[in-house]
């Protein structure tokens, strides 16, 4: 698709203004709003012995999947709309989680196993003081800034040199996977001050509130739901604007975009950095709900799973990655209990099936079915 083709119908759309919610997305967002609004009530207001009671386990599980959905949505911006497949987004997710984890570890105070102001793993390793990169970890405000700043700066620097060198296609995917693998090996080392292979865990409180109470879990759940809705609305606004149309033109014919006078570098760099920051926010929300962060979140398999969620749901749709994250992780939660040894084979088979027979994912399959039913009614 050329720049001309991608913008030929833009005049009428611009006159109307971009729609933040596509008509076919209304049902999904109604369901998400119902879940976000009803789930806390079922947990806090309904007695535990009632059949309608939603346990803390389900609140945590749904909150975790919503964090994954944010990651899938972030990858859709860079892969589905810009044509750049990243296999390293798990790194940004983990970095956001580690920044939040450092704050939560400081909140433990002297309630740890050794009764020291230092985290337990530092006492065990006979450290006498906090390393320099823990200097601001006591401040929640500084933590919020660093959740955005650290992954965002890393993504900007990496993206600037990669995009400036015109690295594309499978080569870009390989170096992003190499980046996250190198970071994983670094974080496994005890001397880096990130807890080694155990990472951070045994959190006690957040902002002074006990982190394991139902009220805190529900608050984190609601905050995650709002973050998912906010990320979707931001992504929808971007992709329906002129900026988004240029991204799609870069995806389809980058050479023609350059011929028309556009420099792809700032567009690719901006959406790449934003995508990384969205993953970091998801990671920061994930850690207090799950209660642990370790280097395994940076493993290449974790980043590949994000791509699987996006592909299964349907890339280039915004709604699809969210559907894919819920579908795949819901199946994972069930299958790893029923037949844990089968899960990885099922995941691989699912990805192959989607690649061969459902290139537009579940959303594309639904649209074809709706179109077919609409044709029947018309006849």
């Amino acid at each position: 698709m050329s720049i001309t083709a991608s913008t030929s119908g833009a005049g009428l759309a611009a006159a109307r203004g971009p729609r933040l919610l596509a008509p076919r997305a209304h049902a999904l967002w109604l369901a998400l709003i119902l879940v976000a609004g009803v789930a806390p009530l079922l947990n806090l207001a309904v007695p535990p012995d009632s059949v309608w009671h939603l346990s803390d386990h389900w609140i945590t599980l749904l909150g975790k999947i919503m964090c994954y959905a944010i990651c899938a949505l972030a990858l859709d911006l860079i892969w589905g709309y810009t044509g750049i497949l990243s296999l390293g987004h798990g790194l940004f997710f983990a970095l956001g989680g580690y920044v939040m984890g450092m704050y939560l570890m400081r909140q433990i105070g002297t309630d740890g196993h050794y009764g020291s102001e230092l985290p337990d793993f530092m006492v065990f390793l006979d450290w006498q003081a906090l390393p320099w990169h823990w200097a601001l970890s006591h401040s929640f405000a500084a933590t919020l800034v660093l959740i955005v700043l650290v992954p965002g700066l890393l993504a900007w620097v990496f993206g600037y040199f990669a995009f400036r060198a015109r690295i594309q296609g499978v080569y870009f995917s390989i170096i992003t996977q190499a980046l996250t693998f190198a970071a994983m090996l670094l974080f496994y080392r005890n001397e880096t001050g990130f807890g080694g292979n155990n990472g951070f865990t045994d959190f006690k409180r957040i902002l002074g509130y006990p982190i394991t109470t139902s009220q805190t879990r529900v608050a984190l759940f609601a905050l995650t739901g709002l973050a998912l809705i906010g990320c979707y609305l931001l992504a929808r606004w971007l992709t329906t604007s002129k900026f988004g149309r240029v991204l799609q033109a870069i995806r389809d014919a980058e050479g023609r975009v350059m011929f028309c006078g556009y420099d792809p570098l700032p567009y690719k760099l901006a959406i790449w950095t934003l995508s990384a920051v969205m993953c970091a926010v998801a990671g920061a929300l994930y850690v207090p709900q799950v209660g642990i962060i370790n280097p395994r979140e940076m493993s290449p398999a974790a980043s590949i799973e994000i791509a699987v969620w996006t592909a299964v749901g349907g890339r280039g749709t915004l709604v699809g990655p969210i559907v894919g994250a819920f579908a795949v992780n819901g199946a994972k939660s069930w299958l790893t209990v029923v037949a844990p040894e089968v899960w990885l084979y099922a995941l691989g088979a699912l990805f192959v099936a989607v690649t061969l027979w459902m290139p537009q994912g579940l959303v594309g399959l639904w649209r074809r079915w709706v179109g077919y039913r609409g044709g029947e009614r018309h006849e």
Side-chain angles (χ1 to χ4, degrees), residues 198-217:
N198 293 320
F200 303 148
T201 188
D202 195 30
F203 307 130
K204 305 294 185 185
R205 59 186 69 87
I206 181 171
L207 291 173
Y209 296 97
I211 203 167
T212 57
T213 63
S214 296
Q215 291 81 1
T216 304
R217 291 182 183 277

Side-chain angles (χ1 to χ4, degrees), residues 102-104 106 130 133-140 143 146:
M102 291 165 69
Y103 166 77
L104 295 175
R106 292 294 301 275
L130 291 168
H133 50 272
W134 283 70
L136 300 176
S137 57
H138 65 284
S139 169
F140 185 73
T143 296
L146 291 174

Side-chain angles (χ1 to χ4, degrees), residues 330 366 379:
W366 167 257
E379 292 175 358

Side-chain angles (χ1 to χ4, degrees), residues 14-157:
R16 290 195 304 259
R19 299 183 63 174
L20 291 183
L21 286 176
R24 296 185 180 184
H26 289 161
L28 172 68
W29 287 108
L30 178 60
L32 282 177
I33 291 171
L34 285 175
V35 168
V38 174
L41 295 177
L42 295 179
N43 178 263
L44 296 177
V46 178
D49 57 350
S50 171
V51 69
W52 297 105
H53 177 73
L54 192 66
S55 67
D56 290 347
H57 165 75
W58 280 102
I59 290 291
T60 301
L61 178 62
L62 290 172
K64 180 176 73 171
I65 294 177
M66 284 195 291
C67 293
Y68 291 156
I70 295 174
C71 289
L73 181 63
L75 184 63
D76 194 33
L77 286 175
I78 192 70
W79 185 24
Y81 283 89
T82 319
I84 302 170
L85 174 58
S86 167
L87 295 179
H89 264 45
L91 170 60
F92 306 120
F93 177 82
L95 285 176
Y98 265 97
V99 174
M100 176 58 74
M102 291 165 69
Y103 166 77
L104 295 175
M105 291 297 287
R106 292 294 301 275
Q107 287 285 294
I108 295 174
T110 56
D111 293 340
H113 179 73
Y114 297 102
S116 171
E117 288 288 347
L118 295 176
D120 282 347
F121 74 89
M122 291 188 183
V123 179
F124 179 79
L125 295 172
D126 199 26
W127 289 35
Q128 303 300 317
L130 291 168
W132 64 269
H133 50 272
W134 283 70
L136 300 176
S137 57
H138 65 284
S139 169
F140 185 73
T143 296
L144 295 181
V145 173
L146 291 174
I147 287 169
V148 174
L149 185 62
V150 172
L153 183 60
L154 175 62
W156 190 91
V157 172

